[in-house]
Amino acid sequence: MIQAVDHVALLPLYAAAGTALLVLVVELAFGRFHLFAGTVGALATAVVAVAVPDHAGTLCRDGLCSWTVTPHAALMAVLFAGLTVGVLALSAPALRRGFAPPGEFCFLLTCAMTGGVVVAYAGDLITLIVGLETLTLPLYVLVGLRRVRESTAGAAAAVTFFLVSVISTAIALLGAALLFAATGAVHLDALVEGSGAYASLAAVGAALVVIGFAFKVAAVPLHAWAPATYDGAPVPVAAYLSTASKLGGVLALAAVVQRLDTGPLIAVLAVLTMTVGNLVALRQTRMVRLLAWSSVAQAGYILAPLAAGAAGVRAAYAYAVFFVLLEFVALGVIAALRGPGTDGGALDDYRGEGRRNPWLGAAMVLALAGLAGLPPGLAGLFAKVAVVESLIASGWGWLAGVVALNAVIALAYYVRVGALLYAVPERAGIPVATLPPSAAPSSATASPAAPSSATASSATASPAAPSSATASSATPAAVVSAGEGTAAVAVIDPDLFDAAAHPRPVVARAVAVSIAVAAITVAVLGFVPQAVFDALSG
């Protein structure tokens, strides 16, 4: 049977796939301009997605379409394209310094964007799974793509991600096969519960599809790959994993659970996911791992309304939109503070960063407040309210209570990170030399702010304080006694010393623009959240 093809409806797919091909051609022909080509193509994909007419499905048979065009599909396509542009911007400094091959990086990232667009418009299980794998496959390589390999963390993260994802895909395909055997349908609009002798087979198939897709959103107990993979990947790639990849999994899950009775299974997954994610995040000492466990908990909040089936889909979509924007801002700030080619670092590395970098600190606080559901992160607050309201209206009040309880638990680590950004840096005396007792300073009680003349004169032999004059006025520190046979630096001007020890990072313009745009978008949506809900109503 020959199906009619509406090429206008397929324009978002053509634009996304054309972007990947454009990057590949630019790489082969010029060996440069990869970032420009990828950015322009992704922006064109977003524009085309908005311009395509509503409800103009194609690849249809008997009224069932494999490609459906709806307002919420267009919104998700725009979001995938925007995240791709943002990650390209975050990656630009590292690519220009040669930390990864730029042509391959941009090609793989735009291929992943193509998969996300397919997931957004998918109208049947086969298209949905193919799109989800097209979104995921390039990320296996991106996690470990480095020219200079200082450690095996990236390779280990890539292998872990690959093995877990392959298993999850196999489970999802088995579930889809069982559903087809029981119901004879693969189109999402035709999915129904099995009846008669096939009822049990359909129930098993639905459960396997949900479990397979739950891997993609890192739902507990299918979550173990996420913290190690995020922490081992470059920070911009971790940002794409935590946003675009998770968004694809949410769309796939929502497409299935709103048509099949999987409420109890989804409710169990949601409770485990949000609770385990929040409790483990409390013990994290590395920034990206903390955000990884936080994203696990956030996945639980997104899953919760899906337990109500179709009645909770809009709330889940809205929460996913707000979450990916807030998560991108948080990881973007980390990429800016840490610099190109570095990992996320430990929590203590961020002590006082909000004081040294006010606008980056403000963006991080906005993201953390939104993820916690507190002002000024109004977008996150409205998202949580929408989830709780949806659950109560659908008769899942106990699950709404679990969501509220976990939101309170999460405050502990979000507030801790926010407070650490503005904590006063530690400025204790720093041992700098080991001196013989005869060479030690004669005064052990010299004041750091006003060293005595004896201390200043004895410090003339020390390279840290060449003379009494410079020790008191031209340098941020002077040498004082820290005990018999040792010398230590006592800070005279703490702010000057802190500035010298922690210089302000030079943030590339592309990185700054991407963070600013995302933060402004989050702030605006916090005041007009209804715009997102209206776009998701179609």
Side-chain angles (χ1 to χ4, degrees):
M1 178 180 177
I2 299 177
Q3 294 180 330
V5 178
D6 183 354
H7 293 285
V8 174
L10 291 172
L11 279 178
L13 174 60
Y14 293 158
T19 301
L21 292 175
L22 177 63
V23 171
L24 183 61
V25 170
V26 165
E27 162 67 14
L28 295 174
F30 305 104
R32 53 180 182 168
F33 306 124
H34 322 88
L35 289 168
F36 178 76
T39 301
V40 171
L43 292 175
T45 302
V47 171
V48 169
V50 174
V52 170
D54 295 346
H55 306 292
T58 187
L59 301 175
C60 302
R61 179 181 179 182
D62 299 329
L64 300 173
C65 299
S66 296
W67 187 268
T68 57
V69 181
T70 59
H72 74 78
L75 174 62
M76 297 304 171
V78 170
L79 200 54
F80 280 115
L83 291 171
T84 302
V85 172
V87 172
L88 285 173
L90 294 182
S91 306
L95 295 177
R96 287 170 180 156
R97 296 188 186 186
F99 287 102
E104 290 86 338
F105 185 95
C106 295
F107 173 70
L108 291 169
L109 194 65
T110 50
C111 285
M113 177 187 70
T114 305
V117 171
V118 173
V119 171
Y121 289 93
D124 63 57
L125 281 175
I126 305 303
T127 305
L128 187 64
I129 294 175
V130 169
L132 199 56
E133 288 310 298
T134 306
L135 168 63
T136 307
L137 278 170
L139 300 179
Y140 306 151
V141 184
L142 287 174
V143 168
L145 188 64
R146 292 177 176 86
R147 275 181 174 157
V148 179
R149 193 171 300 281
E150 299 178 352
S151 69
T152 60
V159 171
T160 301
F161 185 31
F162 171 75
L163 292 176
V164 171
S165 189
V166 166
I167 294 171
S168 70
T169 302
I171 294 174
L173 285 171
L174 177 59
L178 294 179
L179 276 175
F180 178 72
T183 64
V186 292
H187 287 90
L188 298 175
D189 289 337
L191 285 181
V192 293
E193 300 295 327
S195 60
Y198 297 103
S200 298
L201 186 63
V204 172
L208 290 177
V209 169
V210 168
I211 291 171
F213 291 161
F215 273 100
K216 306 298 184 182
V217 299
V220 175
L222 316 168
H223 67 288
W225 62 273
T229 301
Y230 292 5
D231 200 25
V235 176
V237 176
Y240 203 77
L241 278 170
S242 186
T243 56
S245 179
K246 184 157 292 190
L247 180 62
V250 170
L251 295 178
L253 271 172
V256 173
V257 301
Q258 65 180 304
R259 296 172 172 91
L260 300 174
D261 184 16
T262 57
L265 176 59
I266 293 294
V268 171
L269 289 176
V271 171
L272 289 175
T273 301
M274 67 180 83
T275 304
V276 172
N278 282 323
L279 291 178
V280 179
L282 293 171
R283 300 178 55 85
Q284 298 307 304
T285 58
R286 291 184 60 80
M287 180 64 84
V288 172
R289 279 188 176 267
L290 184 145
L291 287 179
W293 284 105
S294 163
S295 73
V296 170
Q298 298 289 336
Y301 301 144
I302 297 172
L303 289 175
L306 293 179
V313 167
R314 192 174 75 147
Y317 280 165
Y319 197 103
V321 170
F322 293 132
F323 161 71
V324 298
L325 291 173
L326 292 163
E327 188 81 352
F328 178 84
V329 172
L331 288 164
V333 171
I334 291 174
L337 290 175
R338 296 291 293 171
T342 58
D343 60 12
L347 289 178
D348 286 340
D349 296 333
Y350 296 84
R351 181 181 294 274
E353 288 293 346
R355 294 169 175 265
R356 291 185 285 268
N357 306 277
W359 76 273
L360 288 176
M364 189 65 164
V365 167
L366 174 66
L368 293 173
L371 293 172
L374 295 174
L378 296 177
L381 175 62
F382 285 120
K384 282 186 170 58
V385 169
V387 167
V388 171
E389 181 184 13
S390 172
L391 289 171
I392 293 175
S394 303
W396 291 80
W398 68 270
L399 188 53
V402 175
V403 170
L405 177 62
N406 273 275
V408 174
I409 295 173
L411 290 178
Y413 59 84
Y414 286 130
V415 171
R416 175 164 63 106
V417 175
L420 191 66
L421 290 171
Y422 293 92
V424 177
E426 296 178 355
R427 292 158 175 164
I430 305 172
V432 295
T434 301
L435 304 176
S438 59
S442 59
S443 174
T445 61
S447 170
S452 66
S453 58
T455 303
S457 61
S458 65
T460 56
S462 171
S467 67
S468 60
T470 57
S472 61
S473 60
T475 63
V479 178
V480 298
S481 175
E484 185 177 356
T486 63
V489 171
V491 176
I492 293 175
D493 188 339
D495 294 330
L496 181 59
F497 181 81
D498 184 57
H502 302 91
R504 180 177 296 183
V506 178
V507 182
R509 184 177 301 175
V511 175
V513 170
S514 65
I515 296 173
V517 170
I520 292 172
T521 303
V522 167
V524 171
L525 290 179
F527 289 99
V528 288
Q530 192 59 40
V532 175
F533 291 100
D534 292 341
L536 295 171
S537 299

